[in-house]
Amino acid sequence: MRLPFWSDQSDDGVDASSPEAARLIRRLSAVMLSGVTLLVVLSAVAPFSPGQSQVLSDLPFFPSPLFQGPAPSDASPAPVLADRSSHPSTKLAPYFTPSAPLATSRNPEILRQFHDLLDQYVHRQAHDDNFTIRVIDRRTDEVLELFALTDLRAAYENGAPVDWNTVDERRHEEMDRLVDKYERRGVPLDDIIVRWGRANQVETAHERDRAYRAYERRLAEHLGLSLLATEIGTVETFNQDHLVSTAGAVSRYQMLPWILRRGGVTEYTLPTEADAWVRVREERNPLLVLEPAFLLLRGYANAVGHELPGLSAYHAGPGNIFTLYRAFYTSDHFTASSTVADAYAWAVTEGFDTVRDGSTFGGDSRGYVPAAYGALTARDDRPVDQSPPLQAVRLQVEPGTSVTLRDLLAPLDTTARSLDWGPAADTARTTYDRFRALNPHIDLPASPRRSIPEAGNVRFVSTIDGKAVRFFLPLGAPDVLRAAGIRALDSPATFRYDASTYAGPSPSQVTRWDRQYEALVDDIAHFGFTKDNRERLLQLHDRFETLAEQRPTRYRRRQLRIISTHRRLWMSSPWQDLADATTRATGRMKLEGRPPDLSSTVPAVPDTLRRRP
């Protein structure tokens, strides 16, 4: 989802055809988009030759992971992120595979431009630090200059505290000077691109995400998404859980509260033994928000036909993607073999001006997916986390019972059993502090003493105003509590976060209806935005509801939430406009994909799975 206090900014250059005031606004936009996408660090930066900048006339200054493979090694390396089949270079080829032969693609020039755009963001996110400004000629993708605030960088490297806002103020001043410099040298203002490096902040974002990274990867793979999904938090908020946008989007994944509530993520207050109340904001715990965010992304990707525009829809909104498709219909690149991924690649390259003029799909939207890819490349050569650094159990108490935090923690404080409270608790002095670190969504007060303050001794119940009260303890803690005689925990509501969490469904869980839904999404990828396909969707949605009612497994509930998001988008007026445009654009054109056929190919629902009256 977008961060409105950044989202209107663009770093795609300045418009020479505008009046001076508009030019200044665009220059401001150029800076601020660089502030929008959040992004990673490279530890080693080549030193500059004397002076603050270096002018480059041909190749990019830093070697790009897009074009360089891993360094050879005599030893057998541990599996790294780039080796996984879910990496976009494999899963989303050829869009993220610069080595793929362009001649074999449907639109080789569009694909080349898309690869060039990715290369810019790889440098921006994974190589250029927060003291760097990169100036590019849009016409040739030539790097005109790589400027650095060497004085601030030197101070930072020597241990001086840094305020990134202050650094950005300096970069803004220098950017304005650099744009004027190259405009005077004859580069059209429209073709001057300015990118601000964000590698320091991306490195920090990845460190914040260390405890949750394995769960993000596993859930993405479980849902059939690429690893690009694991960088949503980096691009949205640098994985900061407390940020709230001006539109009210919350959590590191920036979701609106009403969407979170649909996913069971809520706010409430807990009573304490001191007659005070403690605020609970579940959006501040990544373990509680991860699944709703990724299920929403999967639903968006299905609704728009492919993960690439699906990721963009997560940020820019599905309506903008539907508008983007309508614009693609009028381009010379739309053919019977075109896919929605082709339309997205066109929209962020050759067709960007057309799309921008007809929607709110601006520079920040253009850079969203490339920024996620750039951030991911900073981790490409790092070993895959085989075991999550944070392992815990999510708990509720049984209906009709209650237990205080003091009673919960007392047995854990005295047990001889070793309990791992996770990385965030490494510096905690007391069990109470460790509980606070493991449950950032519960606004417990700090304790100056080595005891639980009365204002923090919350009383846990099953629900408050119909909202589930959930908290986390280390693996093994429930056994300790049961051994101590505490019987208030609700075993069916328990959910473990460990090495087996988010494993894929077993073959027996996948029904014919799931396979038919997959086939429908495949057809949508070929611009299958038709009323016949919507009828297929509605029938499948009804069957998914019945399946979830009869077999309420986690897999079935997830599938229902995904198709429900898809259904909601396809019942909207922007989708209807797209369907009408699809009918006009295709005409007699036969699109690739399966022909929509409901009555003769979809078996009837077995009696045991029919909706109850």
Side-chain angles (χ1 to χ4, degrees):
M1 309 293 285
R2 64 168 49 191
L3 282 173
F5 46 87
W6 287 327
S7 64
D8 291 332
Q9 314 305 328
S10 169
D11 66 352
D12 285 308
V14 221
D15 186 356
S17 63
S18 314
E20 188 62 28
R23 290 171 50 188
L24 178 58
I25 290 173
R26 286 183 171 85
R27 292 178 186 176
L28 291 171
S29 298
V31 179
M32 293 304 295
L33 176 57
S34 306
V36 182
T37 348
L38 326 146
L39 326 141
V40 299
V41 69
L42 267 198
S43 53
V45 180
F48 291 112
S49 59
Q52 284 193 306
S53 63
Q54 194 162 357
V55 178
L56 308 173
S57 59
D58 42 24
L59 295 178
F61 184 78
F62 294 99
S64 167
L66 278 170
F67 300 101
Q68 289 197 344
S73 172
D74 294 334
S76 297
V80 296
L81 207 62
D83 296 334
R84 298 195 69 82
S85 61
S86 54
H87 193 278
S89 62
T90 299
K91 187 171 183 60
L92 301 179
Y95 302 100
F96 294 90
T97 315
S99 59
L102 296 178
T104 62
S105 68
R106 287 179 292 270
N107 295 299
E109 179 57 23
I110 295 298
L111 188 58
R112 183 196 64 77
Q113 293 178 36
F114 185 64
H115 288 167
D116 289 344
L117 182 65
L118 293 179
D119 186 43
Q120 292 178 23
Y121 278 87
V122 166
H123 284 84
R124 178 175 181 250
Q125 314 290 57
H127 298 299
D128 293 351
D129 64 16
N130 276 57
F131 306 97
T132 301
I133 302 173
R134 184 177 291 257
V135 186
I136 304 168
D137 188 334
R138 186 197 305 274
R139 298 167 299 179
T140 61
D141 289 313
E142 174 190 358
V143 179
L144 300 173
E145 186 165 346
L146 198 64
F147 178 88
L149 300 172
T150 53
D151 55 335
L152 294 182
R153 177 192 284 160
Y156 174 70
E157 291 174 346
N158 287 329
V162 63
D163 179 355
W164 295 124
N165 290 330
T166 300
V167 174
D168 285 351
E169 289 174 4
R170 280 280 305 275
R171 286 203 287 188
H172 178 269
E173 295 171 2
E174 296 297 341
M175 183 208 70
D176 221 24
R177 180 186 61 79
L178 290 167
V179 169
D180 288 340
K181 170 183 174 179
Y182 285 99
E183 187 182 6
R184 287 195 303 269
R185 293 187 179 184
V187 181
L189 201 55
D190 272 344
D191 294 318
I192 299 175
I193 300 174
V194 179
R195 303 279 187 219
W196 290 11
R198 291 289 177 187
N200 297 90
Q201 287 174 286
V202 173
E203 179 183 40
T204 301
H206 284 167
E207 179 56 30
R208 290 189 185 113
D209 198 43
R210 184 170 63 91
Y212 312 104
R213 188 181 302 150
Y215 298 121
E216 290 180 325
R217 173 178 59 79
R218 290 177 179 181
L219 182 55
E221 293 174 344
H222 168 73
L223 296 175
L225 296 167
S226 79
L227 294 175
L228 288 175
T230 66
E231 294 296 337
I232 291 177
T234 303
V235 176
E236 290 285 354
T237 61
F238 295 121
N239 289 318
Q240 298 177 89
D241 299 303
H242 68 282
L243 294 185
V244 181
S245 77
T246 55
V250 296
S251 90
R252 64 176 52 193
Y253 304 115
Q254 287 294 281
M255 302 172 70
L256 292 171
W258 71 267
I259 295 179
L260 285 172
R261 287 194 296 271
R262 292 169 76 103
V265 178
T266 59
E267 288 192 17
Y268 50 89
T269 56
L270 286 174
T272 69
E273 296 304 283
D275 293 329
W277 292 81
V278 168
R279 186 177 183 185
V280 178
R281 289 172 283 190
E282 291 191 332
E283 75 273 5
R284 295 196 173 192
N285 191 322
L287 291 180
L288 293 174
V289 185
L290 168 61
E291 191 168 321
F294 279 34
L295 291 180
L296 180 71
L297 172 59
R298 180 73 268 177
Y300 279 3
N302 290 357
V304 301
H306 192 275
E307 182 181 336
L308 266 179
L311 268 169
S312 189
Y314 185 95
H315 169 74
N320 269 322
I321 304 305
F322 292 157
T323 301
L324 178 159
Y325 292 161
R326 291 163 56 193
F328 183 67
Y329 289 155
T330 65
S331 76
D332 295 335
H333 297 285
F334 178 59
T335 67
S337 62
S338 295
T339 68
V340 295
D342 296 332
Y344 167 81
W346 167 83
V348 297
T349 54
E350 181 180 303
F352 176 66
D353 290 339
T354 300
V355 172
R356 177 179 56 182
D357 290 343
S359 68
T360 58
F361 190 91
D364 56 329
S365 302
R366 181 190 204 186
Y368 189 79
V369 174
Y373 178 72
L376 180 65
T377 62
R379 300 193 286 122
D380 270 357
D381 58 352
R382 298 183 187 178
V384 176
D385 294 320
Q386 299 300 324
S387 180
L390 172 63
Q391 300 192 36
V393 57
R394 190 183 71 211
L395 298 163
Q396 288 179 246
V397 300
E398 289 186 343
T401 66
S402 68
V403 62
T404 66
L405 181 57
R406 182 174 289 125
D407 290 340
L408 275 179
L409 297 187
L412 306 182
D413 208 13
T414 58
T415 182
R417 182 170 180 173
S418 176
L419 298 175
D420 185 355
W421 291 81
D426 287 346
T427 59
R429 298 180 303 164
T430 67
T431 304
Y432 174 72
D433 289 336
R434 296 184 187 98
F435 182 87
R436 291 180 68 221
L438 188 57
N439 292 272
H441 60 298
I442 305 177
D443 193 15
L444 293 169
S447 176
R449 305 180 182 86
R450 299 180 66 86
S451 61
I452 300 175
E454 290 301 316
N457 188 24
V458 295
R459 178 169 291 278
F460 290 106
V461 294
S462 178
T463 62
I464 290 182
D465 296 330
K467 302 170 184 176
V469 176
R470 302 180 289 182
F471 58 93
F472 292 82
L473 290 175
L475 295 182
D479 294 336
V480 174
L481 295 176
R482 281 189 287 268
I486 296 178
R487 300 284 187 258
L489 300 182
D490 185 1
S491 296
T494 299
F495 185 79
R496 291 172 59 94
Y497 290 85
D498 58 19
S500 65
T501 305
Y502 299 128
S506 64
S508 63
Q509 289 181 294
V510 181
T511 69
R512 71 183 72 178
W513 315 115
D514 298 301
R515 290 188 288 272
Q516 288 182 17
Y517 183 40
E518 184 178 353
L520 171 61
V521 174
D522 287 344
D523 288 349
I524 295 168
H526 296 273
F527 295 99
F529 304 102
T530 66
K531 294 180 180 178
D532 285 339
N533 280 343
R534 182 165 66 179
E535 182 60 28
R536 290 168 68 188
L537 172 67
L538 296 179
Q539 291 192 21
L540 286 169
H541 177 268
D542 288 346
R543 283 154 187 160
F544 275 38
E545 279 190 324
T546 303
L547 286 168
E549 179 182 335
Q550 297 289 338
R551 308 172 187 173
T553 62
R554 296 187 189 280
Y555 173 68
R556 290 261 51 98
R557 293 199 298 268
R558 287 173 188 149
Q559 288 291 89
L560 177 58
R561 284 169 62 184
I562 290 168
I563 201 171
S564 294
T565 296
H566 186 167
R567 178 185 182 277
R568 175 170 57 84
L569 297 180
W570 274 41
M571 296 302 291
S572 68
S573 57
W575 183 88
Q576 184 61 59
D577 293 339
L578 173 62
D580 294 340
T582 301
T583 300
R584 293 192 298 270
T586 56
R588 296 190 181 94
M589 184 184 298
K590 178 177 175 56
L591 295 180
E592 294 180 355
R594 300 170 181 80
D597 184 356
L598 291 170
S599 58
S600 61
T601 61
V602 179
V605 183
D607 290 340
T608 56
L609 297 181
R610 291 190 183 278
R611 188 186 301 275
R612 294 173 181 171

